Amino acid sequence: MPDLPAAARWLPPGTFDGAVAVVTGGGTGLGLEISRGLAALGAVVVVASRRAEHHQALVAEAAVRGWKVESLVLDVRESDRVRVAADALVERHGRIDVLVNNAAGNFVCPAERMSANAWRSVVGIALDGTFYCSQAFGRAMIRQRRGSILNVVATYATTGMAGVAHSASAKAGVLALTKSLAAEWARHEIRVNAIAPGPFHSQGAAANLWPTPEIEESIRSRIPLGRFATAEEVAAHGLYLLSPACSYVTGECLVVDGGATLGRPMWEPR
Ligand code: NAP
């Protein structure tokens, strides 16, 4: 096996030694790379999502590398189950140090054709789920007077975006929640930050957001750095915000988008 996962190479070894970390949607895409980074840097990582099969690759990798990874089947939209899961984890590990609210679902749909179910599903995972998990795991952090939370939003949380009104509205809510909880829980030594990625490749995104090479190319052509991010490089920024390197940073949102949200030039540089 190669050495450290790419996302974990920028922080000192053992950065998360002894920490207990929960990553929602942590078995695929960006969540997987954040989970791998946390595990490689010493955390006990609990991967939480609906389908256990999404956790299997990481659990298998952990067995080979000697990482501590646990699989938790959980739908973040179910507030009671989230609370029960949080209590059980605290019972088992004694603490929760890190929470990554990464789970989301998204698909392109014109607003005028969006069903109530479609709206509720996307907002339910990203916004309700982030609140339920933050509250349930945050209660443990409040008791122990220590914690670091990372919320994954998107650049369109601040700009809005045609075709994804549900997701953009949910992410804007998560951004407001990030700042609200940061202000409210700072006195408990809990930091709450966010990352706002631009497009990066993942199974969910490729199928639902750029289903054809033409659409992918048209998105890429509008990114000043000229390429999509990798999940590993986005994860690296998330790990940085979670880590003690950012001990005096809270309520912040780090945009990781290759310049995609910068203003368009009046002329196209060649
Ligand atoms: P992904 O691979 O599709 O990951 C989504 C994860 O969420 C899956 O692991 C899924 O696992 C989990 N999930 C979905 N519904 C859930 C629920 N109800 N309860 C618990 N877990 C649930 O997508 P990704 O592209 O890596 O996205 C990761 C994050 O980055 C998301 O917050 C997304 O909005 C954000 N983001 C992505 C892009 C991009 O271009 N890819 C850009 C900006 C922001 P299960 O199916 O097992 O539940």
Tab-separated table of all heavy atoms in Angstrom, residues 24-32 48-55 74-78 101-106 121 124-126 152-156 167 171 195-206 208-210 228 231 234, ligand 1:
chain	number	residue	atom	x	y	z
A	24	THR	N	-20.347	11.945	8.195
A	24	THR	CA	-21.565	11.503	7.500
A	24	THR	C	-21.263	11.404	5.999
A	24	THR	O	-20.524	12.227	5.448
A	24	THR	CB	-22.758	12.450	7.753
A	24	THR	OG1	-22.527	13.704	7.097
A	24	THR	CG2	-22.995	12.673	9.242
A	25	GLY	N	-21.808	10.374	5.379
A	25	GLY	CA	-21.476	10.142	3.969
A	25	GLY	C	-19.998	9.866	3.788
A	25	GLY	O	-19.427	10.156	2.733
A	26	GLY	N	-19.387	9.273	4.820
A	26	GLY	CA	-17.925	9.134	4.830
A	26	GLY	C	-17.384	7.940	4.073
A	26	GLY	O	-16.174	7.689	4.133
A	27	GLY	N	-18.250	7.220	3.340
A	27	GLY	CA	-17.765	6.046	2.620
A	27	GLY	C	-17.562	6.273	1.137
A	27	GLY	O	-17.062	5.390	0.436
A	28	THR	N	-17.939	7.457	0.630
A	28	THR	CA	-17.787	7.722	-0.811
A	28	THR	C	-17.261	9.147	-1.024
A	28	THR	O	-17.344	9.990	-0.119
A	28	THR	CB	-19.138	7.606	-1.568
A	28	THR	OG1	-19.990	8.684	-1.149
A	28	THR	CG2	-19.832	6.279	-1.300
A	29	GLY	N	-16.752	9.400	-2.207
A	29	GLY	CA	-16.408	10.758	-2.646
A	29	GLY	C	-15.566	11.541	-1.659
A	29	GLY	O	-14.583	11.040	-1.093
A	30	LEU	N	-15.960	12.780	-1.434
A	30	LEU	CA	-15.213	13.658	-0.529
A	30	LEU	C	-15.195	13.111	0.902
A	30	LEU	O	-14.161	13.156	1.579
A	30	LEU	CB	-15.863	15.057	-0.538
A	30	LEU	CG	-15.293	16.066	0.443
A	30	LEU	CD1	-13.811	16.315	0.192
A	30	LEU	CD2	-16.073	17.377	0.366
A	31	GLY	N	-16.347	12.598	1.348
A	31	GLY	CA	-16.413	12.064	2.714
A	31	GLY	C	-15.414	10.947	2.928
A	31	GLY	O	-14.776	10.851	3.985
A	32	LEU	N	-15.236	10.116	1.905
A	32	LEU	CA	-14.277	9.015	1.996
A	32	LEU	C	-12.859	9.567	2.171
A	32	LEU	O	-12.091	9.079	3.010
A	32	LEU	CB	-14.362	8.138	0.736
A	32	LEU	CG	-13.301	7.046	0.599
A	32	LEU	CD1	-13.386	6.041	1.754
A	32	LEU	CD2	-13.438	6.314	-0.733
A	48	ALA	N	-20.731	7.230	8.762
A	48	ALA	CA	-22.183	7.118	8.955
A	48	ALA	C	-22.922	7.447	7.675
A	48	ALA	O	-22.825	8.568	7.152
A	48	ALA	CB	-22.616	8.087	10.065
A	49	SER	N	-23.658	6.460	7.160
A	49	SER	CA	-24.559	6.727	6.040
A	49	SER	C	-25.559	5.591	5.930
A	49	SER	O	-25.530	4.652	6.724
A	49	SER	CB	-23.784	6.930	4.725
A	49	SER	OG	-23.373	5.699	4.182
A	50	ARG	N	-26.436	5.657	4.936
A	50	ARG	CA	-27.548	4.700	4.883
A	50	ARG	C	-27.125	3.304	4.482
A	50	ARG	O	-27.714	2.331	4.916
A	50	ARG	CB	-28.604	5.196	3.874
A	50	ARG	CG	-29.256	6.506	4.258
A	50	ARG	CD	-29.947	7.120	3.058
A	50	ARG	NE	-29.004	7.330	1.963
A	50	ARG	CZ	-29.329	7.745	0.751
A	50	ARG	NH1	-30.598	7.986	0.462
A	50	ARG	NH2	-28.409	7.914	-0.182
A	51	ARG	N	-26.108	3.201	3.612
A	51	ARG	CA	-25.791	1.888	3.031
A	51	ARG	C	-24.443	1.371	3.505
A	51	ARG	O	-23.392	1.942	3.172
A	51	ARG	CB	-25.804	1.988	1.510
A	51	ARG	CG	-27.231	1.941	0.978
A	51	ARG	CD	-27.273	2.235	-0.488
A	51	ARG	NE	-27.253	3.670	-0.717
A	51	ARG	CZ	-27.668	4.253	-1.841
A	51	ARG	NH1	-28.108	3.539	-2.830
A	51	ARG	NH2	-27.633	5.565	-1.962
A	52	ALA	N	-24.484	0.262	4.261
A	52	ALA	CA	-23.243	-0.305	4.812
A	52	ALA	C	-22.264	-0.679	3.705
A	52	ALA	O	-21.044	-0.619	3.908
A	52	ALA	CB	-23.570	-1.518	5.670
A	53	GLU	N	-22.785	-1.038	2.531
A	53	GLU	CA	-21.852	-1.429	1.463
A	53	GLU	C	-20.957	-0.264	1.037
A	53	GLU	O	-19.863	-0.456	0.521
A	53	GLU	CB	-22.584	-2.049	0.264
A	53	GLU	CG	-23.501	-1.118	-0.500
A	53	GLU	CD	-24.954	-1.206	-0.043
A	53	GLU	OE1	-25.189	-1.555	1.134
A	53	GLU	OE2	-25.852	-0.920	-0.869
A	54	HIS	N	-21.425	0.957	1.273
A	54	HIS	CA	-20.574	2.110	0.976
A	54	HIS	C	-19.398	2.243	1.944
A	54	HIS	O	-18.498	3.044	1.720
A	54	HIS	CB	-21.409	3.403	1.014
A	54	HIS	CG	-22.216	3.599	-0.235
A	54	HIS	ND1	-23.297	4.454	-0.307
A	54	HIS	CD2	-22.098	3.044	-1.468
A	54	HIS	CE1	-23.796	4.411	-1.531
A	54	HIS	NE2	-23.099	3.562	-2.242
A	55	HIS	N	-19.420	1.504	3.030
A	55	HIS	CA	-18.353	1.630	4.037
A	55	HIS	C	-17.297	0.537	3.880
A	55	HIS	O	-16.239	0.601	4.497
A	55	HIS	CB	-18.936	1.557	5.453
A	55	HIS	CG	-20.121	2.435	5.674
A	55	HIS	ND1	-21.012	2.260	6.703
A	55	HIS	CD2	-20.585	3.513	4.967
A	55	HIS	CE1	-21.968	3.162	6.644
A	55	HIS	NE2	-21.743	3.937	5.586
A	74	LEU	N	-26.909	4.837	9.142
A	74	LEU	CA	-27.689	5.949	9.693
A	74	LEU	C	-28.218	6.820	8.567
A	74	LEU	O	-27.482	7.171	7.639
A	74	LEU	CB	-26.771	6.796	10.601
A	74	LEU	CG	-27.422	7.962	11.335
A	74	LEU	CD1	-28.389	7.460	12.410
A	74	LEU	CD2	-26.361	8.856	11.984
A	75	ASP	N	-29.495	7.178	8.662
A	75	ASP	CA	-30.068	8.177	7.763
A	75	ASP	C	-30.120	9.484	8.553
A	75	ASP	O	-30.841	9.570	9.551
A	75	ASP	CB	-31.475	7.737	7.317
A	75	ASP	CG	-32.047	8.664	6.246
A	75	ASP	OD1	-31.727	9.871	6.277
A	75	ASP	OD2	-32.820	8.185	5.401
A	76	VAL	N	-29.361	10.475	8.109
A	76	VAL	CA	-29.248	11.706	8.904
A	76	VAL	C	-30.561	12.490	8.972
A	76	VAL	O	-30.689	13.414	9.778
A	76	VAL	CB	-28.114	12.626	8.377
A	76	VAL	CG1	-26.760	11.958	8.498
A	76	VAL	CG2	-28.386	13.059	6.934
A	77	ARG	N	-31.540	12.112	8.148
A	77	ARG	CA	-32.837	12.806	8.198
A	77	ARG	C	-33.693	12.357	9.380
A	77	ARG	O	-34.691	12.989	9.700
A	77	ARG	CB	-33.615	12.553	6.905
A	77	ARG	CG	-33.019	13.229	5.710
A	77	ARG	CD	-33.675	12.787	4.438
A	77	ARG	NE	-33.422	11.373	4.171
A	77	ARG	CZ	-33.769	10.753	3.044
A	77	ARG	NH1	-34.369	11.428	2.086
A	77	ARG	NH2	-33.487	9.487	2.862
A	78	GLU	N	-33.285	11.261	10.014
A	78	GLU	CA	-34.104	10.706	11.096
A	78	GLU	C	-33.556	11.164	12.441
A	78	GLU	O	-32.621	10.563	12.991
A	78	GLU	CB	-34.135	9.176	10.975
A	78	GLU	CG	-34.775	8.733	9.666
A	78	GLU	CD	-34.793	7.212	9.505
A	78	GLU	OE1	-34.416	6.481	10.444
A	78	GLU	OE2	-35.183	6.777	8.408
A	101	ASN	N	-20.123	17.057	8.675
A	101	ASN	CA	-21.446	16.975	8.038
A	101	ASN	C	-21.242	17.080	6.530
A	101	ASN	O	-21.201	18.180	5.965
A	101	ASN	CB	-22.334	18.114	8.542
A	101	ASN	CG	-22.807	17.885	9.958
A	101	ASN	OD1	-23.404	16.859	10.267
A	101	ASN	ND2	-22.509	18.832	10.849
A	102	ASN	N	-21.084	15.908	5.924
A	102	ASN	CA	-20.755	15.854	4.492
A	102	ASN	C	-21.892	15.257	3.657
A	102	ASN	O	-21.995	15.514	2.461
A	102	ASN	CB	-19.473	15.010	4.335
A	102	ASN	CG	-19.241	14.527	2.926
A	102	ASN	OD1	-18.741	15.266	2.079
A	102	ASN	ND2	-19.607	13.280	2.664
A	103	ALA	N	-22.782	14.490	4.284
A	103	ALA	CA	-23.828	13.782	3.526
A	103	ALA	C	-24.697	14.780	2.759
A	103	ALA	O	-25.064	15.841	3.273
A	103	ALA	CB	-24.701	12.958	4.471
A	104	ALA	N	-25.026	14.433	1.539
A	104	ALA	CA	-25.901	15.281	0.717
A	104	ALA	C	-26.405	14.474	-0.460
A	104	ALA	O	-25.881	13.401	-0.759
A	104	ALA	CB	-25.134	16.516	0.221
A	105	GLY	N	-27.413	14.976	-1.093
A	105	GLY	CA	-27.892	14.417	-2.359
A	105	GLY	C	-28.194	15.600	-3.264
A	105	GLY	O	-28.537	16.680	-2.769
A	106	ASN	N	-28.052	15.404	-4.564
A	106	ASN	CA	-28.282	16.539	-5.468
A	106	ASN	C	-28.591	16.038	-6.879
A	106	ASN	O	-28.150	14.968	-7.278
A	106	ASN	CB	-27.035	17.436	-5.514
A	106	ASN	CG	-27.321	18.802	-6.088
A	106	ASN	OD1	-28.480	19.153	-6.345
A	106	ASN	ND2	-26.279	19.591	-6.305
A	121	SER	N	-36.407	16.072	0.037
A	121	SER	CA	-35.347	15.080	0.123
A	121	SER	C	-33.970	15.760	0.197
A	121	SER	O	-33.150	15.456	1.061
A	121	SER	CB	-35.444	14.153	-1.089
A	121	SER	OG	-34.292	13.400	-1.203
A	124	GLY	N	-33.760	17.965	3.249
A	124	GLY	CA	-33.777	17.095	4.439
A	124	GLY	C	-32.416	16.508	4.750
A	124	GLY	O	-32.009	16.451	5.915
A	125	ILE	N	-31.694	16.079	3.721
A	125	ILE	CA	-30.369	15.491	3.979
A	125	ILE	C	-29.382	16.588	4.390
A	125	ILE	O	-28.749	16.514	5.448
A	125	ILE	CB	-29.822	14.746	2.732
A	125	ILE	CG1	-30.805	13.675	2.259
A	125	ILE	CG2	-28.474	14.105	3.055
A	125	ILE	CD1	-30.457	13.073	0.902
A	126	ALA	N	-29.272	17.611	3.544
A	126	ALA	CA	-28.193	18.587	3.758
A	126	ALA	C	-28.461	19.512	4.950
A	126	ALA	O	-27.579	19.696	5.800
A	126	ALA	CB	-27.975	19.408	2.494
A	152	VAL	N	-19.836	20.674	5.012
A	152	VAL	CA	-19.496	20.783	3.591
A	152	VAL	C	-20.644	21.507	2.900
A	152	VAL	O	-21.782	21.013	2.876
A	152	VAL	CB	-19.279	19.392	2.965
A	152	VAL	CG1	-18.956	19.537	1.475
A	152	VAL	CG2	-18.161	18.645	3.691
A	153	VAL	N	-20.367	22.690	2.381
A	153	VAL	CA	-21.398	23.424	1.632
A	153	VAL	C	-21.020	23.381	0.149
A	153	VAL	O	-20.558	22.356	-0.349
A	153	VAL	CB	-21.627	24.848	2.197
A	153	VAL	CG1	-22.148	24.764	3.614
A	153	VAL	CG2	-20.402	25.737	2.129
A	154	ALA	N	-21.215	24.425	-0.571
A	154	ALA	CA	-20.854	24.495	-1.997
A	154	ALA	C	-20.754	25.978	-2.331
A	154	ALA	O	-21.337	26.814	-1.622
A	154	ALA	CB	-21.919	23.826	-2.876
A	155	THR	N	-20.044	26.302	-3.395
A	155	THR	CA	-19.871	27.724	-3.709
A	155	THR	C	-21.224	28.397	-3.942
A	155	THR	O	-21.414	29.567	-3.635
A	155	THR	CB	-18.989	27.897	-4.959
A	155	THR	OG1	-19.458	27.008	-5.968
A	155	THR	CG2	-17.544	27.599	-4.656
A	156	TYR	N	-22.195	27.625	-4.452
A	156	TYR	CA	-23.489	28.257	-4.731
A	156	TYR	C	-24.316	28.517	-3.459
A	156	TYR	O	-25.423	29.018	-3.548
A	156	TYR	CB	-24.279	27.475	-5.789
A	156	TYR	CG	-24.482	25.995	-5.549
A	156	TYR	CD1	-25.136	25.517	-4.423
A	156	TYR	CD2	-24.029	25.058	-6.489
A	156	TYR	CE1	-25.337	24.161	-4.224
A	156	TYR	CE2	-24.209	23.702	-6.287
A	156	TYR	CZ	-24.875	23.253	-5.145
A	156	TYR	OH	-25.073	21.915	-4.945
A	167	SER	N	-30.694	22.346	-3.506
A	167	SER	CA	-29.380	22.167	-2.889
A	167	SER	C	-28.771	23.513	-2.482
A	167	SER	O	-28.196	23.644	-1.396
A	167	SER	CB	-28.449	21.435	-3.856
A	167	SER	OG	-27.179	21.286	-3.285
A	171	LYS	N	-27.704	24.480	1.236
A	171	LYS	CA	-26.311	24.808	1.559
A	171	LYS	C	-26.210	26.222	2.151
A	171	LYS	O	-25.381	26.477	3.025
A	171	LYS	CB	-25.425	24.681	0.320
A	171	LYS	CG	-25.334	23.271	-0.254
A	171	LYS	CD	-24.644	22.306	0.689
A	171	LYS	CE	-24.319	20.985	-0.008
A	171	LYS	NZ	-23.666	20.013	0.887
A	195	ILE	N	-16.359	24.173	4.422
A	195	ILE	CA	-15.645	24.316	3.141
A	195	ILE	C	-16.691	24.394	2.038
A	195	ILE	O	-17.738	23.744	2.106
A	195	ILE	CB	-14.651	23.173	2.813
A	195	ILE	CG1	-15.255	21.810	3.099
A	195	ILE	CG2	-13.326	23.367	3.475
A	195	ILE	CD1	-14.379	20.674	2.609
A	196	ALA	N	-16.382	25.201	1.051
A	196	ALA	CA	-17.272	25.354	-0.104
A	196	ALA	C	-16.514	24.914	-1.350
A	196	ALA	O	-15.787	25.704	-1.965
A	196	ALA	CB	-17.715	26.808	-0.238
A	197	PRO	N	-16.662	23.625	-1.713
A	197	PRO	CA	-15.951	23.174	-2.921
A	197	PRO	C	-16.648	23.657	-4.185
A	197	PRO	O	-17.867	23.838	-4.207
A	197	PRO	CB	-16.047	21.643	-2.840
A	197	PRO	CG	-16.682	21.305	-1.526
A	197	PRO	CD	-17.399	22.540	-1.055
A	198	GLY	N	-15.857	23.835	-5.217
A	198	GLY	CA	-16.396	23.896	-6.571
A	198	GLY	C	-16.517	22.463	-7.051
A	198	GLY	O	-16.425	21.524	-6.248
A	199	PRO	N	-16.703	22.238	-8.344
A	199	PRO	CA	-16.905	20.867	-8.830
A	199	PRO	C	-15.677	19.982	-8.657
A	199	PRO	O	-14.559	20.408	-8.915
A	199	PRO	CB	-17.227	21.057	-10.311
A	199	PRO	CG	-16.906	22.454	-10.643
A	199	PRO	CD	-16.812	23.247	-9.397
A	200	PHE	N	-15.909	18.759	-8.172
A	200	PHE	CA	-14.863	17.728	-8.153
A	200	PHE	C	-15.540	16.413	-8.516
A	200	PHE	O	-16.757	16.265	-8.363
A	200	PHE	CB	-14.172	17.644	-6.781
A	200	PHE	CG	-15.092	17.299	-5.644
A	200	PHE	CD1	-15.370	15.978	-5.309
A	200	PHE	CD2	-15.693	18.302	-4.892
A	200	PHE	CE1	-16.225	15.659	-4.261
A	200	PHE	CE2	-16.556	17.990	-3.844
A	200	PHE	CZ	-16.828	16.665	-3.527
A	201	HIS	N	-14.739	15.467	-8.971
A	201	HIS	CA	-15.303	14.204	-9.436
A	201	HIS	C	-15.703	13.304	-8.279
A	201	HIS	O	-14.939	13.106	-7.345
A	201	HIS	CB	-14.307	13.479	-10.346
A	201	HIS	CG	-14.176	14.142	-11.670
A	201	HIS	ND1	-15.150	14.048	-12.642
A	201	HIS	CD2	-13.224	14.952	-12.166
A	201	HIS	CE1	-14.791	14.753	-13.693
A	201	HIS	NE2	-13.625	15.323	-13.428
A	202	SER	N	-16.924	12.805	-8.348
A	202	SER	CA	-17.398	11.781	-7.415
A	202	SER	C	-18.521	11.076	-8.153
A	202	SER	O	-19.072	11.614	-9.121
A	202	SER	CB	-17.916	12.393	-6.115
A	202	SER	OG	-19.155	13.030	-6.335
A	203	GLN	N	-18.843	9.896	-7.676
A	203	GLN	CA	-19.877	9.124	-8.363
A	203	GLN	C	-21.184	9.905	-8.441
A	203	GLN	O	-21.800	10.027	-9.495
A	203	GLN	CB	-20.099	7.831	-7.600
A	203	GLN	CG	-20.476	6.680	-8.496
A	203	GLN	CD	-20.616	5.408	-7.678
A	203	GLN	OE1	-19.891	5.220	-6.705
A	203	GLN	NE2	-21.547	4.580	-8.050
A	204	GLY	N	-21.618	10.466	-7.287
A	204	GLY	CA	-22.891	11.181	-7.236
A	204	GLY	C	-22.883	12.393	-8.155
A	204	GLY	O	-23.827	12.622	-8.921
A	205	ALA	N	-21.796	13.158	-8.125
A	205	ALA	CA	-21.750	14.395	-8.904
A	205	ALA	C	-21.712	14.096	-10.394
A	205	ALA	O	-22.445	14.702	-11.180
A	205	ALA	CB	-20.535	15.213	-8.493
A	206	ALA	N	-20.867	13.160	-10.801
A	206	ALA	CA	-20.713	12.888	-12.230
A	206	ALA	C	-22.056	12.467	-12.835
A	206	ALA	O	-22.462	12.970	-13.882
A	206	ALA	CB	-19.658	11.810	-12.441
A	208	ASN	N	-25.159	12.924	-11.681
A	208	ASN	CA	-26.308	13.816	-11.494
A	208	ASN	C	-26.075	15.251	-11.945
A	208	ASN	O	-27.029	15.966	-12.239
A	208	ASN	CB	-26.716	13.841	-10.017
A	208	ASN	CG	-27.192	12.479	-9.562
A	208	ASN	OD1	-27.914	11.812	-10.289
A	208	ASN	ND2	-26.780	12.068	-8.383
A	209	LEU	N	-24.823	15.697	-11.967
A	209	LEU	CA	-24.576	17.117	-12.232
A	209	LEU	C	-23.901	17.380	-13.580
A	209	LEU	O	-24.079	18.435	-14.158
A	209	LEU	CB	-23.736	17.724	-11.096
A	209	LEU	CG	-24.374	17.603	-9.701
A	209	LEU	CD1	-23.458	18.195	-8.643
A	209	LEU	CD2	-25.738	18.290	-9.661
A	210	TRP	N	-23.061	16.454	-14.051
A	210	TRP	CA	-22.505	16.611	-15.403
A	210	TRP	C	-22.552	15.253	-16.102
A	210	TRP	O	-21.564	14.556	-16.279
A	210	TRP	CB	-21.103	17.227	-15.401
A	210	TRP	CG	-20.100	16.647	-14.466
A	210	TRP	CD1	-19.248	15.614	-14.701
A	210	TRP	CD2	-19.803	17.100	-13.124
A	210	TRP	NE1	-18.476	15.377	-13.596
A	210	TRP	CE2	-18.775	16.279	-12.623
A	210	TRP	CE3	-20.296	18.133	-12.309
A	210	TRP	CZ2	-18.260	16.442	-11.330
A	210	TRP	CZ3	-19.775	18.290	-11.033
A	210	TRP	CH2	-18.773	17.453	-10.563
A	228	PHE	N	-11.170	20.499	-12.802
A	228	PHE	CA	-11.926	20.178	-11.596
A	228	PHE	C	-10.933	19.894	-10.471
A	228	PHE	O	-9.783	19.537	-10.718
A	228	PHE	CB	-12.778	18.924	-11.818
A	228	PHE	CG	-14.031	19.162	-12.628
A	228	PHE	CD1	-14.098	20.169	-13.574
A	228	PHE	CD2	-15.145	18.371	-12.439
A	228	PHE	CE1	-15.259	20.382	-14.324
A	228	PHE	CE2	-16.305	18.561	-13.190
A	228	PHE	CZ	-16.358	19.572	-14.129
A	231	ALA	N	-11.116	15.024	-5.113
A	231	ALA	CA	-11.701	14.919	-3.768
A	231	ALA	C	-10.600	15.012	-2.708
A	231	ALA	O	-10.806	15.592	-1.641
A	231	ALA	CB	-12.467	13.601	-3.642
A	234	VAL	N	-9.675	18.692	-1.985
A	234	VAL	CA	-10.716	19.362	-1.201
A	234	VAL	C	-10.651	18.852	0.244
A	234	VAL	O	-10.718	19.636	1.202
A	234	VAL	CB	-12.112	19.106	-1.796
A	234	VAL	CG1	-13.185	19.777	-0.944
A	234	VAL	CG2	-12.195	19.610	-3.228
B	1	NAP	P1	-21.293	11.451	-2.953
B	1	NAP	O1	-20.082	10.607	-3.221
B	1	NAP	O2	-22.527	11.171	-3.704
B	1	NAP	O3	-21.549	11.404	-1.380
B	1	NAP	C1	-22.743	11.639	-0.764
B	1	NAP	C2	-22.763	10.781	0.493
B	1	NAP	O4	-23.895	11.127	1.282
B	1	NAP	C3	-22.860	9.291	0.197
B	1	NAP	O5	-21.798	8.642	0.874
B	1	NAP	C4	-24.206	8.866	0.783
B	1	NAP	O6	-24.091	7.567	1.380
B	1	NAP	C5	-24.440	9.951	1.828
B	1	NAP	N1	-25.844	10.180	2.084
B	1	NAP	C6	-26.812	10.549	1.188
B	1	NAP	N2	-28.006	10.641	1.785
B	1	NAP	C7	-27.792	10.337	3.099
B	1	NAP	C8	-28.646	10.270	4.237
B	1	NAP	N3	-29.960	10.543	4.139
B	1	NAP	N4	-28.101	9.930	5.428
B	1	NAP	C9	-26.773	9.659	5.525
B	1	NAP	N5	-25.922	9.713	4.492
B	1	NAP	C10	-26.436	10.046	3.289
B	1	NAP	O7	-21.023	12.970	-3.196
B	1	NAP	P2	-19.766	13.960	-3.126
B	1	NAP	O8	-19.713	14.589	-4.462
B	1	NAP	O9	-18.553	13.339	-2.547
B	1	NAP	O10	-20.343	15.062	-2.111
B	1	NAP	C11	-19.840	15.238	-0.810
B	1	NAP	C12	-20.206	16.624	-0.324
B	1	NAP	O11	-19.589	17.611	-1.147
B	1	NAP	C13	-21.699	16.913	-0.366
B	1	NAP	O12	-22.065	17.671	0.772
B	1	NAP	C14	-21.855	17.741	-1.627
B	1	NAP	O13	-22.997	18.582	-1.598
B	1	NAP	C15	-20.572	18.540	-1.570
B	1	NAP	N6	-20.173	19.132	-2.856
B	1	NAP	C16	-19.858	18.318	-3.913
B	1	NAP	C17	-19.456	18.892	-5.107
B	1	NAP	C18	-19.047	18.038	-6.282
B	1	NAP	O14	-18.778	18.588	-7.355
B	1	NAP	N7	-18.946	16.718	-6.154
B	1	NAP	C19	-19.366	20.285	-5.218
B	1	NAP	C20	-19.710	21.076	-4.123
B	1	NAP	C21	-20.097	20.480	-2.937
B	1	NAP	P3	-25.314	6.511	1.418
B	1	NAP	O15	-25.844	6.413	0.024
B	1	NAP	O16	-24.666	5.254	1.913
B	1	NAP	O17	-26.319	7.057	2.393
